[in-house]
Amino acid sequence: MRRIITATVQNSSGVLNRITGMLSKRAFNIESITVGTTEIEGISKMTFVVEIPDANKIEQLTKQLNKQIDVLKVNDITEKAIVQRELALIKVGSTSASRAEIQGVIEPFRARVLDVSRDSLVIEVTGKPDKIEALIDLLHPYGIKDMTRTGVTAFPRGKQPRQVQEFTLSV
Amino acid sequence: MKTQTETHTQPVEQKLRTGADLFVQSLVEEKVDTVFGYPGGAVLPIYDALYRADAPFQHILCRHEQGLIHAAEGYARVTGKPGVVIATSGPGATNLITGITDAMMDSLPVVVFTGQVSTAVIGSDAFQEADVIGLTTPITKHNYQVTDIKDLPRITREAFHIATTGRPGPVVVDIPKNIAQEITDKTFDTSFHLPGYQPTVKPNPLQIRRLAEALAKAKKPVLLAGAGVHFADASEELKAFAEKFELPVTTTLLGLGSFPGGHEQALGMAGMHGSYSANMAIYEADLLINIGARFDDRLTGAIQHFAPEAAVAHIDIDPAEIGKNIETKIPVVGDAKEALTALLDIDIECTDHSSWSEETMNNKKEYPFWFERSDDLISPQWLIESVHRETDGHAIVTTDVGQHQMWAAQFYQFNSPHKWVTSGGLGTMGFGLPAAIGAQLGRPEETVVAIVGDGGFQMTMQEMAVVKQHNLPIKVIIVNNEALGMVRQWQEKFYEERYSASLMTENPDFIKLAEGFGVKGIRVSKETDVPSVIKEVFQHDGPVLVDARVQKLDKVFPMVAPGKGNHEMIGVKQCEE
């Protein structure tokens, strides 16, 4: 099961190390982590995407996260109505002849060109991970020279549908 | 940003103080009475402050940092107070790693202060630099590196608070040398706020109610008591609860003594080398109430066979333990004492389960722990029984890890809490002797016996020097079978007697060794000599080391083979009477 989990943490030194260390020690497979500050000084928020085999393990993950002294709040938002975004920068090979074609490919994805050189383009795209995957697929034939992705950052939408199947902990 | 924590009410005559002075002051304020420490370059400012200060605590210099931390664990285990350790940077800190992990696994409140190189050279691979935070993050409840003198007093307080509250555990505070040397004329605010750390002590009444309802319906209820009962000081409540509802009680290895071993409802220890009656009670139970145990795999055996018929209720102050290893139907997050008190307050009409109680007690009578006496060589189990008889079950017993540990768990009957000091979770050899030192310092009025193996003893035997230096009347009994006995047992049973590197045929002369340390040494090799030797040992007013030559090939039985269920114990014998 792919879960999206957010953790609000105190911005003390080593907190990221502490949390990723705990996850790796307990054999949780982290797909991505994003971290950034929040509107409150000294408080950061992390978004994890984690691949977990079963429900028990999800509960264990959230409990172990909660147990960390620096962690203020943990939320498994996988089942909620959420906004999730990832940013990717993709450097793709191009010639003057293919440039316009690539432009046409990326346009429906609302991606944009950040840099142009004689033989490459740098493209910026944000969106859900599957949208980014789709664009990468389309760009492959042109030759991807470099790529970097931020991983997912996410939080619940302002309004939740009434019938949200929330993941409930037994404790 | 200007710190708001500085107060400006300092009297003018206030002397200038160093970070090290503030640190020593913090220990005094925490009412520390014993510090286990070893000096070195990075903690010289702290040692100088200790020298200058008229600190109301004793400093114990062990001979190796591993000795420090195990001694602190022993101290913490028998007193319930935090064990305090000071070690220097680099090798001083890394030598503590085993003990810190041990304290983490067994939830012992230990506060470790390590020296660190100066902040200016941190990260430069300076002399005796080690990344203590990186090294200890996975093995501590929490850790800190002090980077500003103003934080030092507050962090020290937080460290003690975190180590001793909730589920206890080790906390490391890394203090760079320049912070310890820095001079200040200020007093710093020590108040702290840890919004992410608010342990649930009082259990939720609804959870208690669910447990009570399950208990009322249960036909085959069993209690399982773990170390959490010790930490919560809940032995009285446990006994009252068990007696009120006539529940059979089993314990984990670390839970020994939380319920009187001689009590008629006591089934003894469960698990790999537990009693047949304890394991069968859990196997057949329809309600298993776990109080402060974490379902270690040495307790559960193959989990598909662990309490297969039972609804599991689990009382634990650490919510992350609930459901971690065993599916739990009734979780109760909270302190064991609070939970048991709440349960005692509820009126429950229980289903009659007297036939169940009778069945479990019959098992206890019919399948006790057993061993074969011999007329010549000493049976290790009998040796331990003799120690029990001589001390009337009231001694504090520390052990290393292996066969002697299991025999001690089986044949020394613990009737009161805080008497059993052993490395359960990590299984650390070399634990017994230093832990005995800590235990004896923490409880000077008690008899302390270190039952160790010839293997484990040789890992930390240099601490005999501390025993001598402080004339601690510890009785060290080496259960000497000239082997890593448990390793050999497994090699015999599961590796077709290929005794790879497990035989210790070139042991030192332990008697000469004892004498070298200035300690009385006694060798005993005949069964018939045991009673008089044991008497002599406990009458001697000071430390004694006994080299007890036991039968070499004795094994710990009964046993659950790895991968098997607890109901498939081997080496169970029916009582012949």
Side-chain angles (χ1 to χ4, degrees):
Chain A
M1 275 181 275
R2 189 171 169 272
R3 310 299 298 188
I4 302 174
I5 291 162
T6 63
T8 311
V9 302
Q10 279 188 308
N11 215 345
S12 58
S13 75
V15 61
L16 180 64
N17 181 31
R18 196 182 300 282
I19 287 172
T20 53
M22 183 280 291
L23 293 169
S24 68
K25 173 185 163 190
R26 302 215 175 253
F28 291 111
N29 192 10
I30 309 167
E31 215 170 84
S32 79
I33 287 189
T34 58
V35 193
T37 52
T38 63
E39 73 286 3
I40 305 163
E41 204 192 317
I43 305 288
S44 288
K45 197 151 164 196
M46 303 182 177
T47 308
F48 306 88
V49 178
V50 196
E51 188 59 43
I52 304 184
D54 62 72
N56 253 352
K57 284 267 180 346
I58 300 168
E59 184 176 324
Q60 184 55 208
L61 172 83
T62 48
K63 283 173 166 178
Q64 291 290 347
L65 277 174
N66 253 319
K67 197 169 142 174
Q68 303 296 315
I69 309 277
D70 293 323
V71 172
L72 303 174
K73 198 172 163 194
V74 179
N75 256 328
D76 182 342
I77 59 172
T78 318
E79 315 287 347
K80 291 190 175 168
I82 57 172
V83 192
Q84 53 167 324
R85 285 290 179 272
E86 184 178 6
L87 166 71
L89 297 176
I90 306 159
K91 187 187 281 174
V92 63
S94 75
T95 58
S96 50
S98 67
R99 212 168 284 153
E101 190 183 321
I102 293 173
Q103 190 65 256
V105 168
I106 69 171
E107 208 171 85
F109 290 85
R110 274 180 272 172
R112 56 190 189 123
V113 175
L114 294 184
D115 183 51
V116 180
S117 74
R118 217 168 41 187
D119 56 357
S120 69
L121 294 174
V122 175
I123 295 158
E124 172 201 49
V125 59
T126 58
K128 288 187 186 173
D130 53 353
K131 170 182 154 183
I132 291 168
E133 298 286 347
L135 180 60
I136 291 166
D137 263 2
L138 286 172
L139 291 174
H140 253 300
Y142 300 99
I144 292 176
K145 298 184 159 201
D146 203 352
M147 182 170 79
T148 177
R149 296 173 67 164
T150 59
V152 171
T153 185
F155 59 46
R157 289 180 186 278
K159 190 161 182 258
Q160 294 292 314
R162 227 169 280 157
Q163 290 293 317
V164 171
Q165 186 80 55
E166 259 192 71
F167 180 77
T168 50
L169 301 178
S170 72
V171 178
Chain B
M1 194 183 74
K2 196 166 162 31
T3 167
Q4 296 163 355
T5 55
E6 294 171 20
T7 54
H8 300 280
T9 52
Q10 276 309 297
V12 188
E13 65 273 20
Q14 174 77 42
K15 272 190 280 178
L16 292 177
R17 295 186 301 169
T18 65
D21 294 323
L22 297 181
F23 166 71
V24 173
Q25 182 59 33
S26 296
L27 296 189
V28 173
E29 279 162 19
E30 293 296 332
K31 301 195 167 51
V32 170
D33 59 28
T34 306
V35 168
F36 302 91
Y38 205 113
V43 284
L44 276 173
I46 287 174
Y47 273 83
D48 195 49
L50 283 173
Y51 190 86
R52 285 182 277 111
D54 188 18
F57 52 76
Q58 57 180 339
H59 179 279
I60 306 298
L61 175 75
C62 288
R63 297 321 194 239
H64 186 292
E65 283 88 354
Q66 188 180 359
L68 298 181
I69 181 94
H70 292 326
E73 290 180 81
Y75 174 91
R77 174 69 86 193
V78 300
T79 62
K81 295 189 282 187
V84 180
V85 173
I86 300 173
T88 193
S89 64
T94 55
N95 277 344
L96 296 173
I97 296 293
T98 303
I100 297 173
T101 315
D102 193 271
M104 184 70 174
M105 292 287 270
D106 288 352
S107 312
L108 292 171
V110 173
V111 188
V112 175
F113 298 94
T114 50
Q116 182 54 278
V117 300
S118 291
T119 48
V121 292
I122 286 178
S124 71
D125 299 325
F127 176 65
Q128 293 197 329
E129 181 183 358
D131 174 13
V132 168
I133 296 302
L135 285 163
T136 62
T137 295
I139 55 168
T140 48
K141 189 170 171 187
H142 201 54
N143 60 14
Y144 296 89
Q145 188 171 64
V146 184
T147 51
D148 190 326
I149 190 170
K150 77 173 164 51
D151 298 328
L152 182 55
R154 189 202 80 242
I155 285 177
T156 308
R157 268 196 73 196
E158 280 186 18
F160 277 92
H161 175 72
I162 292 170
T164 54
T165 52
R167 178 181 182 180
V171 178
V172 168
V173 181
D174 196 36
I175 306 175
K177 189 173 185 178
N178 60 314
I179 303 286
Q181 277 170 328
E182 194 175 328
I183 291 168
T184 181
D185 59 355
K186 297 191 176 74
T187 299
F188 302 108
D189 186 6
T190 58
S191 59
F192 61 84
H193 175 51
L194 297 166
Y197 178 67
Q198 305 292 331
T200 308
V201 176
K202 276 219 179 295
N204 179 320
L206 282 174
Q207 294 180 337
I208 292 288
R209 166 68 55 190
R210 280 183 65 199
L211 208 172
E213 281 164 7
L215 179 58
K217 280 188 290 184
K219 293 190 181 77
K220 297 177 171 184
V222 173
L223 286 186
L224 171 68
V229 177
H230 290 296
F231 296 128
D233 249 324
S235 287
E236 292 284 320
E237 290 77 5
L238 175 67
K239 188 158 163 269
F241 181 63
E243 283 174 351
K244 182 172 175 187
F245 300 107
E246 290 167 16
L247 304 166
V249 184
T250 67
T251 76
T252 65
L253 173 70
L254 293 180
L256 285 171
S258 61
F259 188 75
H263 195 285
E264 57 172 4
Q265 286 162 241
L267 300 179
M269 178 173 80
M272 181 174 271
H273 294 294
S275 72
Y276 176 78
S277 58
N279 281 338
M280 288 314 287
I282 291 173
Y283 185 68
E284 288 168 7
D286 65 355
L287 174 68
L288 176 66
I289 304 175
N290 170 357
I291 309 169
R294 63 188 176 83
F295 288 130
D296 180 278
D297 56 277
R298 281 291 194 272
L299 170 80
T300 62
I303 51 173
Q304 68 270 29
H305 300 302
F306 183 76
E309 307 296 325
V312 173
H314 188 167
I315 301 169
D316 208 303
I317 198 155
D318 179 358
E321 283 307 333
I322 299 175
K324 186 178 85 176
N325 296 335
I326 297 288
E327 203 187 327
T328 302
K329 198 170 167 211
I330 306 163
V332 179
V333 180
D335 172 88
K337 195 185 190 90
E338 297 276 353
L340 285 165
T341 307
L343 281 165
L344 281 164
D345 283 348
I346 293 184
D347 277 325
I348 314 169
E349 200 65 51
C350 274
T351 308
D352 175 49
H353 54 254
S354 53
S355 64
W356 164 245
S357 302
E358 205 174 309
E359 183 190 331
T360 57
M361 289 311 130
N362 276 346
N363 272 344
K364 178 181 163 183
K365 273 188 218 100
E366 269 187 58
Y367 303 95
F369 289 124
W370 61 274
F371 62 93
E372 271 156 16
R373 287 285 300 275
S374 90
D375 296 332
D376 188 20
L377 298 162
I378 300 171
S379 6
Q381 303 90 335
W382 190 67
L383 174 74
I384 287 170
E385 265 192 358
S386 308
V387 174
H388 175 257
R389 263 194 305 278
E390 191 62 33
T391 56
D392 205 18
H394 289 306
I396 289 173
V397 178
T398 75
T399 72
D400 275 345
V401 164
Q403 287 186 315
H404 69 277
Q405 177 194 32
M406 289 300 126
W407 286 321
Q410 292 178 337
F411 293 95
Y412 193 98
Q413 195 179 77
F414 293 92
N415 284 315
S416 45
H418 307 294
K419 301 276 186 177
W420 171 234
V421 185
T422 197
S423 167
L426 195 64
T428 306
M429 285 174 70
F431 177 83
L433 174 61
I437 292 170
Q440 186 76 78
L441 287 160
R443 291 251 173 262
E445 72 289 356
E446 305 251 8
T447 304
V448 177
V449 189
I451 297 175
V452 296
D454 49 315
F457 178 69
Q458 289 182 69
M459 283 194 173
T460 52
M461 62 186 174
Q462 72 280 1
E463 305 306 340
M464 285 303 289
V466 183
V467 173
K468 170 64 186 164
Q469 184 185 348
H470 298 277
N471 197 30
L472 302 172
I474 295 168
K475 317 303 176 195
V476 181
I477 298 175
I478 304 175
V479 180
N480 185 352
N481 55 9
E482 294 185 351
L484 303 175
M486 194 60 99
V487 172
R488 182 172 60 190
Q489 175 167 339
W490 280 53
Q491 286 172 335
E492 184 184 327
K493 288 279 158 202
F494 312 118
Y495 296 88
E496 293 161 340
E497 299 183 20
R498 291 186 294 275
Y499 297 126
S500 184
S502 58
L503 307 181
M504 293 216 157
T505 44
E506 287 297 325
N507 273 337
D509 181 332
F510 290 118
I511 302 306
K512 280 193 179 149
L513 196 78
E515 285 162 0
F517 282 112
V519 169
K520 183 183 171 81
I522 307 174
R523 178 168 295 123
V524 55
S525 14
K526 274 168 89 177
E527 184 109 327
T528 45
D529 294 341
V530 168
S532 62
V533 166
I534 293 296
K535 200 162 246 20
E536 183 186 347
V537 164
F538 286 97
Q539 274 169 0
H540 181 73
D541 184 26
V544 185
L545 183 139
V546 181
D547 177 14
R549 300 301 186 88
V550 299
Q551 291 194 63
K552 290 186 187 174
L553 292 175
D554 256 8
K555 280 168 280 294
V556 183
F557 281 133
M559 175 178 193
V560 179
K564 298 283 187 184
N566 283 351
H567 63 303
E568 299 167 293
M569 294 195 94
I570 53 173
V572 180
K573 262 196 187 173
Q574 194 159 14
C575 202
E576 278 156 16
E577 287 159 296

